[in-house]
Amino acid sequence: MPVGTTDATPYDAVLLLSFGGPEKPEDVLPFLQNVTRGRGIPDERLKEVGEHYYSFGGKSPINDQNRALLTALRESFAEAGLELPIYWGNRNWAPYLTDTLREMTADGIRRAVVIVTSAYPSYSGCRQYRENLEDATRDVPGAPRLDKLRHYANHPGFVGSFVEATADALGTLPEGSAIAYVTHSIPTAMNETSGPDGNGYVAWHEDVAAAIDAELERRTGKQRRTDLVYCSRSGPPQVPWLEPDVNDHLEALAADGVPGVAVVPIGFVSDHMEVIYDLDTEGAATAEKLGLPMARAATPGTDERFVTMLRDLVVERAAAERGEQPERPCVGTLGAGWDDCRRDCCPPLRRPTRPATKETV
C-alpha cells in the first residue's frame, strides 16, 4: 500500500469503541453495576471497589482521554485528506454503543471500521467487544456493518511510542535500573484460551516487551533486567490469575538491590484507572516505602505515532476489504494481527471473571 494512500472505500465512517467510565460520584455505582451485570456481585462489594474512583473525585479519566483521542484522530484524518466521520461509543457508560449505532444509522452510515481501545487478544480485550458489537447491531434495525481493526499491540506506531516513553523514564533513574512491563492481570484460564491457538495474551505482551528491549539495547548497547508483571487482579482468591503483581515485583526488585525501575504500562493505550491508581498511586507508594526509585513511562494517549498508526490501520483494512494486499507493519516475532477472528477464538470462561474494578485489559 503506497505511503499517503487515503482511500477508505468501502467504509463511510469510523467507530471508536471503548470501555467507558463514570463522570461523577453518583455515576460510580451504576457504572460498576453495568460492568458486573449477571455476576451476582452485591452492591456492598461494588461500593468498596468504587473507592478507587471516589479517591479521584468519582470520575474515571477514560472518557476525557477518548475525547482527546477523537480530536486527535479527526485532525489527523483531515490532514491526510481522509474524509470519514468518527463516532464514539462505550460498552458500559455513556455514550453507549447502542445509542451511537442508532445515531450512525440515522445519519445513513452503511459500513464502518471499528477502533477498539484494547490492543491485545483475550476474551475481555477482544471477543467481548465483538459480542457487544453483534448485540448492538441486532438491537438497531438497519445498523451499519461493522469491521473491527486487527490487534495493533505489535505495530511500530504502538511499540515506538513505548520505546520513547521508556527511554525517557530510564533517563530519570540511576544507571542499571530495571524495566517492569505492566499489564492488566486476567484469569490464567482466560490466557490459556486467548488468541486462535491459546496463550495469546501473554505471548503478545512478551513479544512487545522484547521488541522494546531490543530497540533500547540497540540504541544504548546495554542490557538490563526486564520483567512482565501484572496489576488490577480481582475475582475470588481461589481462581488463579496471572502473576506477579506489580507491588510484589517491586518488593522483589528492592530485595535484589536493583537501583531503580521504569514501570511501563504496555497493556494500556492511555492513563486508565489502572494506571493512575494501581501504578501512580499504589505502586508509587510501594516504591517510596521500599526506597526504590521509580519512574512511570507514559502511555500512547494522543502521541502522534499512535494516532497516525490508527489512521493507517483504517486505510489498511479498507484496502484489504477491496481485495488488495496492503502492507501490514509489525515488529517482533508473531506477525501482524488477523483481520477477522475465528468464531472459537478467545472463548468466554464458564463462570464470568471479568475484572470488576477498572476499565480495560
Side-chain angles (χ1 to χ4, degrees):
M1 181 172 60
V3 174
T5 297
T6 55
D7 184 1
T9 309
Y11 297 116
D12 52 5
V14 174
L15 170 62
L16 178 67
L17 177 59
S18 194
F19 194 84
E23 303 264 24
K24 52 188 182 298
E26 52 266 40
D27 293 345
V28 172
L29 181 58
F31 163 73
L32 291 174
Q33 289 170 333
N34 285 346
V35 174
T36 61
R37 184 169 287 114
R39 293 177 53 188
I41 298 177
D43 284 354
E44 292 72 20
R45 171 56 183 154
L46 296 182
K47 290 175 183 177
E48 294 176 11
V49 172
E51 291 302 320
H52 291 179
Y53 292 95
Y54 296 132
S55 65
F56 290 93
K59 181 176 181 178
S60 163
I62 193 171
N63 283 340
D64 282 345
Q65 289 163 6
N66 281 322
R67 293 183 183 104
L69 180 57
L70 280 169
T71 297
L73 283 169
R74 286 166 178 155
E75 291 174 351
S76 180
F77 278 35
E79 290 170 3
L82 190 59
E83 298 180 356
L84 287 177
I86 308 176
Y87 296 81
W88 169 35
N90 289 325
R91 288 176 48 186
N92 296 294
W93 202 249
Y96 289 103
L97 172 60
T98 302
D99 293 335
T100 300
L101 280 191
R102 291 193 180 102
E103 178 187 359
M104 295 171 70
T105 302
D107 289 346
I109 302 302
R110 304 308 305 159
R111 189 171 181 183
V113 63
V114 183
I115 298 171
V116 174
T117 57
S118 178
Y120 296 86
S122 73
Y123 173 73
S124 53
C126 178
R127 179 165 177 161
Q128 197 166 19
Y129 283 98
R130 292 190 287 112
E131 292 175 348
N132 295 149
L133 289 168
E134 292 172 0
D135 291 344
T137 300
R138 281 195 299 268
D139 290 343
V140 178
R145 171 176 166 178
L146 303 172
D147 297 332
K148 178 181 171 293
L149 289 182
R150 66 176 167 101
H151 299 295
Y152 50 76
N154 62 358
H155 191 287
F158 190 76
V159 174
S161 174
F162 275 115
V163 168
E164 300 304 328
T166 305
D168 290 345
L170 288 170
T172 70
L173 293 168
E175 187 70 22
S177 291
I179 301 174
Y181 295 107
V182 188
T183 190
H184 202 306
S185 184
I186 62 174
T188 57
M190 186 182 292
N191 171 62
E192 289 167 0
T193 59
S194 62
D197 302 309
N199 196 47
Y201 187 73
V202 169
W204 273 64
H205 281 87
E206 289 176 340
D207 205 46
V208 169
I212 298 171
D213 288 343
E215 175 58 18
L216 293 174
E217 184 177 346
R218 186 193 68 78
R219 293 184 183 186
T220 65
K222 299 176 182 177
Q223 292 183 328
R224 63 183 71 246
R225 175 173 176 172
T226 67
D227 300 274
L228 177 62
V229 301
Y230 303 91
C231 68
S232 304
R233 187 222 192 277
S234 64
Q238 67 270 23
V239 177
W241 283 52
L242 296 175
E243 297 177 336
D245 176 77
V246 60
N247 293 285
D248 295 338
H249 182 65
L250 293 176
E251 293 182 359
L253 291 178
D256 290 345
V258 172
V261 58
V263 174
V264 186
I266 60 171
F268 306 95
V269 303
S270 59
D271 288 3
H272 298 170
M273 185 61 73
E274 294 92 338
V275 177
I276 66 170
Y277 185 84
D278 293 16
L279 303 185
D280 294 351
T281 305
E282 283 191 335
T286 298
E288 182 177 10
K289 178 188 70 174
L290 296 167
L292 177 67
M294 169 185 148
R296 200 265 287 174
T299 51
T302 56
D303 184 281
E304 183 178 0
R305 287 168 289 247
F306 179 59
V307 174
T308 300
M309 175 202 76
L310 294 176
R311 185 190 74 200
D312 290 348
L313 285 173
V314 168
V315 176
E316 174 195 299
R317 181 61 186 266
E321 292 301 309
R322 293 194 302 270
E324 300 172 16
Q325 298 296 321
E327 295 177 9
R328 295 178 178 271
C330 65
V331 299
T333 63
L334 297 179
W338 47 95
D339 283 345
D340 297 304
C341 296
R342 292 190 335 215
R343 296 299 300 179
D344 62 345
C345 191
C346 300
L349 301 180
R350 290 185 178 180
R351 295 184 62 186
T353 53
R354 169 71 190 171
T357 56
K358 316 261 178 40
E359 287 128 358
T360 190
V361 287

